[in-house]
Amino acid sequence: MKILSIETSCDESGIAIIETTDNSDVHVLSNQLSSQAALHAEYGGVFPTLAKREHARTLVPLMLQALTEAKMLTPTSQKPPQEIIGSLMKLLEREQELFVHLTMLFAQYARPDIDAIAVTYGPGLEPALWVGVNFAKALSIVWNIPIVAVNHMEGHIYATLYTEKEKNRYVKSPVTLPLVALLISGGHTELLRSDTLGTYTLLGATRDDAVGEAFDKTARLLGLPYPGGPEVSRLAVSARDENLDQPFVLPRPMISSQDLAFSFSGLKTAVLRLTQELHTISETNKKQIAREIEDAITEVLVTKTKRALEETGARTLIVSGGVSANTTIVSGLRTMLAQQLPDVTLAVSPKILATDNALMIAFAGISYAERKQYVSIEALRANGNASLSSIV
Ligand code: KG4
Ligand code: ZN
């Protein structure tokens, strides 16, 4: 089975094409990604209108690259019938540039040998999600390929389940259930439980800022560029390497609450207060504060995750999302498991699959495509607040 996947939930446009014989062995025919992060940098966060426009501009060129790499780009002289172009025009009313690009694509190239399209329908920025969803619909209408709708967070979970055995060959590792997933990104901070892949229960989530947002916002207060997570992490590493003392103390929000909820907005306020008190922040101060931010976040995540594992008796801990690229957080979790829960296996996404990408959407889409759980063009909608725990 060959699957084409599409990801546009935030500021990364992604298109991947995979081939799988059974769902544990995946050959990646192409995995294309175009990041808009640099464009959003001046806003200090993702700017939805800009994200939408960039996805619309990027998807067809990415698709051409993906089809070329997968050796699926075959010229044709057969143009789609006029009534199909008419329905595309209606579908892409608000994405004129995408419509123009797509009609050119359909006029020049034949239907590729693809069995299903997997597209992210949510959660994420709704205007951005709609571009991917409408793009998938257009491909489906013209090429008559069925669609499976994938939850972005399930994509992050699946990113941890596959290991690259040789270049572009991924194998799915067996997972011992139940599992607890700690999903940490710019938009989410969630602990989920799963007894069967595909069915999830929300154990706890952030009440305000997501952990990635806490990194990004505190980084901004320190004058660091967006996205702030990798920058804070880099400075924290220097603070440890240089053995700097730790004069600043930040709160560990909700660390003692007897639940699995998080709150990170207080951290931003505390850093703001600190920067105001200091008047000028030296490079050394920045490193010291960055380390304290990273330590505070790590302690909270480790404490709550441990509680979730103990309460559920989980056998596997999955850690995924952009923030799972943070080595201090992951080694904090690893140490906690080794010392206190040695029977729990840790599954972390490889760095290239930690941040948003289309390959994880293809991985998550496989079982839906194999069961032919297709979604109709009419029913498929982008949903910025889509919840994983409602998937059954
Ligand atoms: O999953 P992702 O690519 O996009 C969302 O769905 O949000 O996550 C992006 C987030 C950003 O907030 C970024 O600052 C954070 O992941 N991030 C990190 C690191 N690398 C990326 N945070 C902390 N440490 C890192 N090394
Ligand atoms: Zn994400």
Side-chain angles (χ1 to χ4, degrees):
M1 170 185 283
K2 296 198 186 85
I3 298 177
L4 176 123
S5 60
I6 302 158
E7 159 62 36
T8 64
S9 69
C10 190
D11 60 348
E12 314 278 342
S13 320
I15 294 197
I17 303 175
I18 61 153
E19 180 168 20
T20 176
T21 34
D22 64 85
N23 83 29
S24 56
D25 187 3
V26 173
H27 184 193
V28 180
L29 303 180
S30 186
N31 182 22
Q32 301 291 332
L33 196 63
S34 167
S35 176
Q36 312 167 0
L39 293 174
H40 295 283
E42 64 181 292
Y43 301 98
V46 182
F47 190 56
T49 322
L50 180 62
K52 175 187 150 81
R53 201 174 62 214
E54 284 306 307
H55 288 306
R57 205 207 301 271
T58 319
L59 280 178
V60 171
L62 272 189
M63 175 85 174
L64 286 170
Q65 284 172 24
L67 290 173
T68 307
E69 196 185 4
K71 301 195 171 40
M72 287 183 177
L73 201 62
T74 320
T76 184
S77 50
Q78 229 180 337
K79 292 193 171 54
Q82 204 47 46
E83 76 248 30
I84 290 212
I85 297 293
S87 50
L88 281 194
M89 197 186 279
K90 194 154 176 284
L91 177 72
L92 299 170
E93 219 162 34
R94 283 187 272 169
E95 282 113 24
Q96 268 306 312
E97 192 170 9
L98 189 56
F99 171 74
V100 173
H101 283 179
L102 270 171
T103 41
M104 275 157 60
L105 175 86
F106 294 135
Q108 289 177 55
Y109 300 103
R111 179 197 192 280
D113 176 21
I114 299 278
D115 302 290
I117 297 165
V119 63
T120 305
Y121 69 92
L125 298 172
E126 215 158 277
L129 287 162
W130 269 115
V131 181
V133 163
N134 282 337
F135 180 69
K137 289 185 182 189
L139 300 178
S140 174
I141 291 170
V142 178
W143 286 337
N144 194 21
I145 302 173
I147 303 177
V148 293
V150 175
N151 181 296
H152 181 80
M153 303 318 280
E154 192 167 29
H156 276 304
I157 290 180
Y158 271 78
T160 69
L161 304 182
Y162 284 84
T163 315
E164 193 172 20
K165 290 290 175 206
E166 54 185 87
K167 196 166 165 37
N168 291 330
R169 294 260 172 200
Y170 281 77
V171 174
K172 189 170 171 208
S173 326
V175 211
T176 316
L177 298 163
L179 65 79
V180 160
L182 173 68
L183 303 182
I184 40 180
S185 73
H188 287 269
T189 305
E190 287 177 3
L191 279 164
L192 293 148
R193 173 203 175 115
S194 174
D195 296 338
T196 328
L197 284 177
T199 309
Y200 306 89
T201 313
L202 185 66
L203 300 172
T206 183
R207 294 192 174 158
D208 40 58
D209 290 352
V211 65
E213 237 178 321
F215 272 111
D216 296 339
K217 288 179 177 173
T218 53
R220 198 169 185 204
L221 292 169
L222 297 179
L224 304 172
Y226 173 86
E231 293 294 321
V232 169
S233 180
R234 193 175 53 78
L235 292 185
V237 168
S238 307
R240 289 188 198 96
D241 287 351
E242 293 168 32
N243 239 331
L244 298 180
D245 58 348
Q246 292 174 263
F248 308 115
V249 181
L250 293 171
R252 271 67 176 152
M254 294 186 73
I255 200 161
S256 309
S257 70
Q258 294 305 307
D259 55 18
L260 296 169
F262 300 92
S263 164
F264 289 106
S265 64
L267 208 51
K268 172 191 61 194
T269 318
V271 173
L272 176 65
R273 207 174 305 128
L274 200 56
T275 54
Q276 285 165 344
E277 281 164 13
L278 284 170
H279 300 295
T280 52
I281 312 171
S282 68
E283 289 307 306
T284 301
N285 289 159
K286 280 190 191 175
K287 290 179 190 171
Q288 289 164 322
I289 298 172
R291 178 187 181 171
E292 180 62 9
I293 292 169
E294 201 178 62
D295 285 349
I297 289 175
T298 303
E299 277 176 42
V300 172
L301 292 176
V302 169
T303 304
K304 297 278 171 160
T305 305
K306 176 170 171 273
R307 179 170 297 140
L309 291 166
E310 285 169 345
E311 284 180 9
T312 55
R315 301 288 309 280
T316 302
L317 170 63
I318 279 176
V319 185
S320 193
V323 181
S324 71
N326 185 290
T327 42
T328 304
I329 293 172
V330 173
S331 58
L333 290 164
R334 205 183 291 283
T335 307
M336 176 271 289
L337 292 183
Q339 290 174 351
Q340 299 175 61
L341 295 165
D343 295 334
V344 176
T345 308
L346 179 65
V348 187
S349 34
K351 272 215 164 134
I352 65 148
L353 297 185
T355 46
D356 294 348
N357 64 87
L359 188 52
M360 68 184 195
I361 302 305
F363 288 153
I366 295 172
S367 53
Y368 294 97
E370 280 180 340
R371 292 195 301 263
K372 298 197 179 349
Q373 287 184 346
Y374 304 134
V375 53
S376 70
I377 301 278
E378 298 73 38
L380 177 59
R381 297 185 64 80
N383 177 358
N385 298 316
S387 141
L388 191 50
S389 43
S390 66
I391 288 185
V392 183

